[in-house]
């Protein structure tokens, strides 16, 4: 991924399709369109997966809650969501095996009746997932349950139901889509914001005026020319729609969801836990992720789209209170190591609908007046299906309908992936076992390219912080190969340190800043500005959650 070269292409070339938004939907559309032979541009105002796509619960699933609602309310839209989700789950797993894997989940129950209820429900979930490779659900005895999850309250526990879904590193999966799109010929640029549209005499879009959101002052505004523009901006979709056609009505109802990160020892299990009942009518997941425990999520209306949603004290308490009844030892607020807030781009039928009741479905909308195509709503698991429907429509509009090829297109790092190759990396490059395993899990078959940098400079084999497997070579690779431009690009998304441990993140900042400054030619003043602003941001996260 070469941002400088792609910026030149964006200024000089005319594209069939320009996609606005570099989350899962936008990157998925870009890859799909490129594989169908279209000339494609992909722009993102911040960074790939910077918003919703990096702030999920990290699950690839059909949605057990949607299945329950479908039968309780005879809501076939929910049932369709489950079916599509389970169909796509297998594809997400197989196309990036280094970034996505099966995850066992336990649902603890406190009575025989509860066990029967959830066992029947999850058997139905298995039925809709027939034909995939994940193990089927089963009802566990109390003894089996405690062996798998010893932190549970044995006095209350009756048994548990075990089932399987998928887990992914959402930010790196999205980056993998963007990287694969770039290798398929897409002109890609992050930190490039749409200012306005240029229109012809009939009001049809013909250009997108964009400017850099980096503060180095070297990229003046310019126009990207394309035959068709696709809006994939998630919670900000109405902003783009109204810029293209001010007469349109708003369609998006943003919902805020937060997660807290606790030490692995709180659950002491490699299984995740599904908490099926909460005081606000949701389900909550406690999931092992990157050696920590991820707990979430919530669901509340959010209207301040100009501000990043933060994890707040009351939300921390709600999540801890929700987890506490299941554990022998109540988790303490002092154990919270990090957390994050994100937005869901929900489609609402009316202003009065509760966000908890809204279907996580999507819609491909075409505005004939402006010629803008918008992908609205949706969820991570079905990103590929959503992109397929969008590019199907794009092909129809461009008079070039071609088949979708993404179902078996392996993403960057997934080619010839073998997890056991970590042993080769450990031996050849003399790296610690946890570092070698980490590199294979995050970069897949391209982990050797990262490890090889340690031979270019032995210092780059050093850890960024002592208790995590991240090494300096990764920062170099991420700048050179993965279009990392800011400290947060590295620490929040290409590495997941920001969402795992705020204290460790602050410790890593000076080292990462020095490495990036060397690679990107930052001045001392620019480097210090990056450090000061990012540390201030992390401090704001900490204060909000206290």
């Amino acid at each position: 991924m070469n941002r400088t070269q792609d910026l030149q292409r964006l200024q000089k070339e005319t594209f069939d399709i320009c996609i606005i938004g570099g989350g899962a939907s936008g990157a998925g559309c870009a890859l799909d369109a490129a594989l169908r032979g279209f000339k494609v541009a992909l722009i993102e105002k911040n960074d790939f997966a910077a918003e919703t796509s990096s702030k999920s619960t990290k699950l690839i699933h059909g949605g057990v809650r949607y299945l329950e609602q479908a039968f309780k309310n005879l809501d076939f839209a929910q049932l369709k969501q489950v079916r599509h989700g389970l169909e796509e789950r297998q594809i997400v797993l197989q196309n990036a095996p280094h970034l996505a894997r099966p995850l066992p989940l336990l649902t603890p129950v406190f009575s025989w009746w509860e066990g029967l209820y959830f066992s029947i429900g999850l058997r139905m979930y298995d039925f809709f997932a027939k034909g995939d490779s994940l193990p089927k659900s089963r009802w566990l005895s109390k003894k089996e349950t405690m062996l798998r999850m010893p932190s549970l309250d044995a006095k209350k526990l009756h048994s548990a139901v075990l089932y399987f879904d998928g887990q992914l590193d959402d930010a790196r999966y999205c980056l993998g889509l963007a990287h694969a799109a770039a290798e398929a010929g897409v002109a890609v640029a992050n930190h490039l914001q749409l200012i306005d549209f240029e229109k012809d005499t009939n009001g049809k879009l013909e250009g997108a005026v964009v400017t850099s959101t980096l503060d180095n002052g070297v990229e003046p505004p310019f126009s990207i020319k394309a035959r068709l523009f696709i809006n994939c901006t998630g919670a900000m979709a109405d902003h783009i729609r109204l810029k293209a056609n001010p007469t349109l009505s708003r369609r998006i109802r943003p919902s805020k969801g937060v997660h807290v990160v606790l030490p692995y020892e709180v659950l002491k299990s490699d299984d995740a836990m599904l908490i099926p009942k909460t005081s606000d009518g949701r389900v909550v997941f406690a999931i092992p992720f990157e050696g920590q425990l991820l707990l979430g999520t919530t669901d509340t209306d959010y209207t301040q789209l100009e501000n990043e949603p933060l994890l707040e004290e009351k939300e921390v308490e709600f999540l801890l209170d929700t987890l506490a009844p299941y554990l022998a030892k109540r988790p303490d607020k002092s154990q919270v190591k990090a957390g994050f807030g994100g937005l869901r781009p929900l489609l609402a039928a009316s202003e009065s609908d509760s966000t908890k009741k809204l279907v996580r479905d999507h819609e491909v909308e075409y505005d004939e007046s402006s010629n803008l195509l918008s992908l609205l709503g949706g969820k991570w698991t079905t990103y590929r299906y959503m992109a397929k429907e969008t590019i199907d429509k794009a092909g129809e509009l461009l008079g070039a309908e071609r088949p979708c090829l993404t179902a078996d297109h392996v993403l960057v790092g997934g080619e010839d992936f073998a997890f056991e190759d970590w042993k080769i990396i450990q031996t050849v490059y003399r790296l610690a076992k946890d570092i070698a395993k980490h590199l294979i899990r995050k970069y897949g078959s391209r982990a050797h390219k990262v490890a090889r940098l340690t031979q270019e400079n032995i210092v780059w084999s050093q850890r960024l912080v002592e208790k995590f497997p991240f090494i300096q070579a990764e920062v170099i690779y991420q700048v050179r190969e993965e279009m990392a431009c800011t400290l947060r690009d590295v620490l929040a998304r290409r590495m997941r340190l920001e969402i795992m441990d705020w204290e460790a993140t602050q410790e890593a900042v000076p080292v990462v800043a020095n490495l990036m400054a060397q690679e990107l030619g930052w001045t001392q003043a620019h480097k210090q500005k990056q450090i000061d602003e990012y540390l201030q941001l992390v401090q704001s996260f900490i204060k909000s959650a206290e």
Side-chain angles (χ1 to χ4, degrees), residues 47-50 171-172 488-496:
D47 184 30
F48 309 110
R172 286 206 64 86
R488 202 174 188 197
D489 289 354
V490 168
L491 288 165
R493 291 174 286 273
R494 284 155 191 78
M495 297 176 193
R496 309 312 308 274

Side-chain angles (χ1 to χ4, degrees), residues 219-275:
E219 297 166 10
F222 63 89
S223 178
I224 300 172
K225 303 295 184 183
R227 296 168 61 198
L228 180 67
F229 291 86
I230 302 180
N231 171 19
C232 293
T233 55
M236 295 299 294
D238 283 339
H239 175 74
I240 302 298
R241 292 171 66 248
L242 294 171
K243 199 177 282 291
N245 181 355
T247 67
L248 293 174
S249 60
R250 293 183 179 274
R251 299 292 313 282
I252 299 297
R253 177 85 172 275
S255 164
K256 177 187 177 185
V258 302
H259 296 78
V260 299
V261 176
L262 299 164
Y264 174 87
E265 291 71 30
V266 170
L267 206 59
K268 295 178 186 174
S269 177
D270 291 332
D271 295 349
M273 183 201 296
L274 164 64
I275 298 173

Side-chain angles (χ1 to χ4, degrees), residues 71-227:
F71 283 97
K72 277 186 174 180
N73 305 323
L74 298 178
D75 186 344
F76 294 105
Q78 297 274 18
L79 204 56
K80 184 179 76 170
Q81 271 289 94
V82 174
R83 183 170 58 83
H84 286 321
L86 291 173
E87 287 170 353
E88 292 298 312
R89 182 179 68 179
Q90 188 65 23
I91 296 173
V92 175
L93 288 168
Q94 73 187 23
N95 285 355
H98 56 306
L99 296 172
R101 56 195 60 87
L103 176 72
L105 295 100
L106 289 179
T107 303
V109 296
F110 302 114
S111 69
W112 177 88
W113 169 246
E114 266 193 335
L116 180 63
Y117 178 79
F118 289 116
S119 185
I120 292 172
L122 289 167
R123 288 289 174 86
M124 294 175 67
Y125 195 61
D126 290 341
F127 173 78
F128 282 101
K130 60 185 177 183
D132 73 9
S133 62
L134 270 64
K136 301 307 178 187
S137 64
R138 57 192 180 95
W139 195 349
L140 304 180
S141 68
K142 180 176 180 176
K143 182 179 179 181
E144 287 177 296
T145 304
M146 293 303 298
L147 285 172
R148 297 185 72 108
M149 198 170 285
S151 60
L152 294 175
D153 187 345
K155 294 178 182 177
K156 296 181 184 177
L157 185 72
H158 175 272
S159 55
V161 181
L162 171 70
Y163 76 104
F164 285 78
D165 260 326
Q167 182 178 42
L168 83 168
D169 182 333
D170 49 8
R172 286 206 64 86
Y173 203 106
C174 181
L175 177 67
L177 288 168
H179 201 159
E183 294 193 351
V186 178
V188 177
N190 55 356
H191 300 286
L192 200 62
Q193 182 174 9
L194 175 77
I195 303 173
D196 206 354
F197 285 114
E198 294 175 334
K199 301 176 182 179
D200 64 17
T201 54
N202 297 316
K204 308 283 188 184
L205 305 182
E206 60 180 11
V209 182
V210 297
T211 189
S212 173
T213 55
L214 299 173
D215 58 358
N216 53 18
V218 298
E219 297 166 10
F222 63 89
S223 178
I224 300 172
K225 303 295 184 183
R227 296 168 61 198

Side-chain angles (χ1 to χ4, degrees), residues 456-524:
E456 182 179 329
N457 186 336
I458 189 62
V459 174
W460 293 346
S461 64
Q462 295 178 5
R463 297 175 191 262
L464 292 178
V465 286
E466 189 56 39
K467 53 190 174 181
F468 286 94
F470 308 116
I471 60 173
Q472 294 186 24
E474 293 179 74
V475 181
I476 305 301
Y477 180 82
Q478 289 162 10
V479 170
R480 293 180 182 178
E481 302 284 342
E482 295 183 341
M483 214 175 276
C485 301
T486 71
L487 292 175
R488 202 174 188 197
D489 289 354
V490 168
L491 288 165
R493 291 174 286 273
R494 284 155 191 78
M495 297 176 193
R496 309 312 308 274
L497 195 55
E498 181 190 290
I499 68 166
M500 291 189 290
D501 192 317
W502 286 328
E503 184 180 320
T505 299
Q506 293 176 96
E507 185 183 339
V509 164
V511 181
V512 174
N514 285 333
L515 292 165
M516 296 189 76
Q518 293 165 20
E519 286 294 308
L520 294 168
W522 289 349
T523 64
Q524 180 63 31

